Amino acid sequence: MAIDAAASILTRKVLFALELLDPFTGTPVAKGIRLDARTAGGGAYVVQPTVNRTGRFVWLDNGGEPPANIRYDTGRLPFDSGRVELSAGFPNDRLLRVVLRPTAAYEVPEGVTAVRGTLVASEAAGAKPVADAIVQLAWATVQPAGWIPPVPASRARLRPGEAITDKDGQFLVLSRLPGKSATASGYVGYPLPGEPGYDGARISLDVSGAGVKARLQVTRRDTGTSRRTPDDFRFDEALQPGRIPEGRLLGRDLKLDWNELS
């Protein structure tokens, strides 16, 4: 009974824990991360977290005002910095999980299909990079015939594998494709509610020994306009136009001209 009571006291003292995850290895990321927790009034949250053996940041309950938000600064790590809002309170299990978003510097693991590149306003000398644009990989399907996922809206929440171009126009989009037959959500990593013919249906991608048929879909968040790579876009000189190698990073960095996208 004494052991159970001690465990109960310890559990009550833990206010909450934050787990920042690598999106493809699934491992917690803590080293190199700086946190800034703030109260609802904007003041610094006085309790500093510790990192436990599983790589989670843990805050103890000091009986004061809980934090309202936490900003995580990734420094030189290949992930975007971000912020966690806590205005709605903590989950029942007191564990907050955040999947980090890779930057263009992320080292793509084996088995992941990925494309790295830069988006510019035009190919002219001195052309400005296009920053703050959503970039996603879209896949051609043969059953049913079409493309998934739908083009992102300008203010849509980012989906797994999507990227936002940085100030230099750089991006990295990536996806781990499942087997030859799965649901649409299994391929793109999230549900597609309201998508006729896709929601819950089994689909097949256009995959062959010549790679997977794909395109890049881009939406500028400043104007809300969307464009994509044309069907005859040459991703890889060794493959047919419109195809990329499956399960690895494309062997060259692309330079996309916004004006040449369709």
Side-chain angles (χ1 to χ4, degrees), residues 51-222:
V51 179
N52 67 10
R53 288 180 295 177
T54 63
R56 296 169 176 168
F57 295 94
V58 178
W59 281 263
L60 297 181
D61 189 355
N62 68 345
E65 180 185 3
N69 62 75
I70 302 168
R71 176 165 179 78
Y72 53 91
D73 185 344
T74 56
R76 296 184 177 183
L77 296 175
F79 304 101
D80 284 336
S81 299
R83 178 171 164 148
V84 180
E85 294 292 339
L86 301 171
S87 55
F90 306 117
N92 291 334
D93 60 2
R94 301 275 170 158
L95 175 60
L96 302 168
R97 284 191 173 93
V98 175
V99 178
L100 296 169
R101 192 168 68 226
T103 66
Y106 182 75
E107 186 174 344
V108 179
E110 186 178 349
V112 174
T113 304
V115 175
R116 181 181 282 124
T118 302
L119 180 64
V120 295
S122 75
E123 282 286 7
K128 293 183 179 180
V130 178
D132 200 35
I134 301 175
V135 186
Q136 69 173 197
L137 270 173
W139 314 105
T141 60
V142 294
Q143 181 62 39
W147 288 86
I148 58 170
V151 176
S154 61
R155 293 298 165 187
R157 190 173 173 183
L158 277 194
R159 295 153 171 163
E162 294 177 349
I164 294 179
T165 55
D166 63 17
K167 61 181 179 60
D168 297 316
Q170 296 179 334
F171 63 87
L172 171 67
V173 286
L174 60 180
S175 178
R176 192 188 296 276
L177 299 183
K180 292 187 176 181
S181 179
T183 62
S185 60
Y187 276 115
V188 299
Y190 55 89
L192 293 171
E195 289 295 313
Y198 288 138
D199 205 11
R202 309 296 292 187
I203 63 169
S204 295
L205 294 190
D206 188 342
V207 182
S208 70
V212 55
K213 190 173 182 180
R215 67 190 185 195
L216 292 177
Q217 299 182 155
V218 183
T219 299
R220 295 182 62 154
R221 301 210 294 181
D222 56 349

Side-chain angles (χ1 to χ4, degrees), residues 10-42:
L10 180 61
T11 300
R12 287 198 299 269
K13 285 185 176 180
V14 173
L15 181 62
F16 72 101
L18 173 64
E19 187 176 59
L20 303 175
L21 297 172
D22 182 300
F24 287 95
T25 66
T27 55
V29 180
K31 188 176 181 180
I33 300 283
R34 295 179 61 184
L35 301 178
D36 181 19
R38 296 280 164 171
T39 64

Side-chain angles (χ1 to χ4, degrees), residues 189-260:
Y190 55 89
L192 293 171
E195 289 295 313
Y198 288 138
D199 205 11
R202 309 296 292 187
I203 63 169
S204 295
L205 294 190
D206 188 342
V207 182
S208 70
V212 55
K213 190 173 182 180
R215 67 190 185 195
L216 292 177
Q217 299 182 155
V218 183
T219 299
R220 295 182 62 154
R221 301 210 294 181
D222 56 349
T223 63
T225 53
S226 299
R227 294 185 180 179
R228 61 177 178 82
T229 51
D231 292 341
D232 61 354
F233 185 82
R234 179 74 74 172
F235 287 98
D236 189 321
E237 293 299 326
L239 299 177
Q240 297 173 359
R243 292 186 180 271
I244 61 176
E246 182 185 4
R248 63 179 174 86
L249 175 67
L250 186 67
R252 68 185 181 102
D253 289 0
L254 300 179
K255 189 172 184 180
L256 298 182
D257 179 346
W258 173 260
N259 292 323
E260 293 184 355

